[in-house]
């Protein structure tokens, strides 16, 4: 009986410490569309009244803003890590940038003909959500991370905007493309457009072509690449790590047993959130 009561007390304590995930949306004048997103709010958010560091958690190709909460169980991970003190309380924002109907749905975090998503993200989305959800809104309290297409998006965002992010954690990252092929000759379908965008914004070519001033700015970001040893994107993570070393931009690379799936990314999130938390600026906490 005592054991049952103890287990019940422990479960009640965990429930009491739980955060929550809410769904919201923003009307974009840049995209001429309404964009949904999920937000994780830590336990006590409503009562605290203060500001929080923020993590942008990006989904992969064929998924949407619900994937991290529903498939990746991110709330469970965040609640546990906050409860154990492995991470500070934070707001986690999961924007929508895709969907399963890849031929007819825009996928991708980059600008492409007809869909200037990067402009939307930095000009509209980030300022709006950080104000609405009481985020500090500076480099020292902002991180970006994601899986696959979101891992590539995270890396490219941090490369092109290193003044905005303290850290970047890229999981199984899609970092460049050969440009793809049109499904129908002469018609730019949406898979082709996102493949072209990944080719034009190649994270590897960005490093290869970076001048010293750019490299100095990249050195202000903490970088982490995490990929399974049997992942079909394995070589991209290894190659960007080699380029980072060549360019003297410090990064971390972890190759663990695994493939391109949610089992791998669920565990990766348990490493990614503490990495972001360690690299926030605590001078004003």
């Amino acid at each position: 009986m005592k054991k049952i009561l103890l287990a019940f007390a422990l479960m009640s304590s965990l429930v009491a410490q739980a955060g929550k995930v809410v769904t919201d949306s923003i009307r974009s004048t840049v995209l001429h569309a309404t964009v949904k997103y999920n937000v994780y709010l830590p336990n006590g958010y409503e009562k605290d009244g203060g500001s929080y560091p923020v993590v942008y958690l990006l989904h992969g190709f064929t998924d949407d803003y619900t994937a991290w909460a529903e498939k990746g169980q991110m709330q469970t991970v965040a609640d546990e890590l906050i409860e154990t003190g492995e991470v500070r309380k934070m707001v986690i924002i999961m924007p929508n940038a895709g969907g399963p109907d890849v031929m007819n749905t825009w996928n991708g975090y980059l600008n492409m003909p007809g869909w200037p998503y990067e402009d939307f993200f930095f000009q509209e989305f980030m300022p709006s959500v950080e104000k609405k959800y009481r985020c500090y809104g500076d480099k020292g309290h902002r991180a970006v991370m994601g899986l696959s297409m979101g891992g590539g998006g995270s890396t490219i965002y941090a490369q092109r905007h290193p003044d905005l992010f303290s850290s970047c954690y890229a999981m199984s990252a899609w970092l460049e493309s050969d440009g793809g092929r049109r499904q129908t000759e002469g018609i730019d379908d949406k898979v082709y457009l996102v493949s072209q965008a990944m080719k034009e914004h190649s994270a590897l070519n960005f490093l290869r072509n970076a001048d010293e001033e750019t490299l100095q700015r990249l050195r202000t970001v903490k970088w982490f690449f995490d990929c399974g040893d049997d992942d079909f994107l394995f070589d991209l993570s290894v190659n960007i790590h080699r380029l980072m070393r060549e360019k003297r931009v410090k990064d971390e690379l972890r190759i663990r047993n695994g493939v391109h799936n949610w089992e791998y990314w669920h565990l990766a999130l348990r490493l990614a959130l503490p990495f972001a938390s360690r690299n926030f600026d605590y001078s004003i906490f």
Side-chain angles (χ1 to χ4, degrees):
M1 185 65 176
K2 288 183 178 180
K3 290 182 178 179
I4 294 175
L5 291 174
L6 182 61
F8 180 78
L10 179 59
M11 290 175 63
S12 298
S13 174
L14 290 174
V15 170
Q17 297 300 317
K20 65 179 181 179
V21 173
V22 299
T23 299
D24 206 338
S25 65
I26 178 174
R27 181 64 190 177
S28 169
T29 57
V30 172
L31 297 177
H32 305 289
T34 297
V35 180
K36 288 186 175 182
Y37 59 96
N38 273 347
V39 183
Y40 168 84
L41 302 174
N43 175 54
Y45 172 87
E46 289 84 359
K47 296 179 180 180
D48 290 347
S51 297
Y52 289 84
V54 60
V55 168
Y56 289 91
L57 182 58
L58 309 186
H59 66 77
F61 188 63
T62 77
D63 274 326
D64 62 19
Y65 70 101
T66 67
W68 271 111
E70 295 179 0
K71 299 178 182 179
Q73 300 298 306
M74 61 75 48
Q75 181 182 343
T76 300
V77 174
D79 284 345
E80 290 177 358
L81 292 173
I82 291 172
E83 175 65 15
T84 59
E86 293 176 71
V87 305
R88 295 289 188 103
K89 287 185 177 181
M90 59 179 68
V91 169
I92 302 174
I93 298 175
M94 295 154 275
N96 194 63
D101 183 7
V102 295
M103 293 297 295
N104 299 299
T105 301
W106 291 105
N107 273 270
Y109 298 93
L110 308 175
N111 287 347
M112 59 193 80
W115 193 249
Y117 192 94
E118 184 177 348
D119 291 347
F120 154 73
F121 187 94
F122 289 99
Q123 295 173 19
E124 294 182 320
F125 183 71
M126 197 165 74
S128 175
V129 296
E130 291 186 0
K131 180 179 181 180
K132 185 171 185 177
Y133 291 100
R134 304 201 317 266
C135 303
Y136 281 110
D138 64 352
K139 172 185 173 72
H141 301 93
R142 186 187 294 120
V144 63
M145 60 181 65
L147 67 89
S148 194
M149 181 182 76
S154 300
T155 304
I156 293 166
Y157 277 6
Q159 285 180 333
R160 292 160 62 85
H161 307 273
D163 53 320
L164 297 180
F165 299 103
S166 58
S167 69
C168 171
Y169 196 110
M171 315 169 199
S172 311
W174 184 22
L175 298 168
E176 70 175 7
S177 168
D178 63 2
R181 285 179 287 278
R182 295 177 175 89
Q183 296 295 317
T184 303
E185 188 61 34
I187 298 177
D188 290 346
D189 62 80
K190 290 180 171 59
V191 175
Y192 173 74
L193 288 172
V194 69
S195 297
Q196 281 288 305
M198 291 304 298
K199 178 181 180 180
E200 293 167 5
H201 296 84
S202 165
L204 300 178
N205 284 339
F206 186 95
L207 270 175
R208 293 184 184 107
N209 299 325
D211 58 23
E212 185 56 32
E213 181 180 354
T214 299
L215 294 173
Q216 287 285 15
R217 296 175 66 214
L218 295 181
R219 293 177 186 127
T220 69
V221 179
K222 302 298 184 182
W223 302 90
F224 201 120
F225 299 95
D226 183 347
C227 193
D229 56 356
D230 291 316
D231 195 304
F232 69 95
L233 296 178
F234 171 84
D235 288 339
L236 294 178
S237 291
V238 172
N239 290 342
I240 199 168
H241 173 64
R242 287 172 173 163
L243 278 169
M244 287 283 203
R245 294 185 66 182
E246 177 186 321
K247 300 291 185 175
R248 301 193 311 277
V249 178
K250 187 176 180 181
D251 74 312
E252 296 186 50
L253 172 68
R254 294 294 181 276
I255 303 299
R256 297 181 287 110
N257 182 48
V259 296
H260 205 79
N261 65 12
W262 278 103
E263 179 183 358
Y264 191 90
W265 303 320
H266 180 78
L267 179 56
L269 188 62
R270 293 183 177 275
L271 303 176
L273 292 179
F275 179 77
S277 184
R278 289 194 302 272
N279 289 296
F280 286 140
D281 178 6
Y282 294 111
S283 62
I284 65 171
F285 281 117

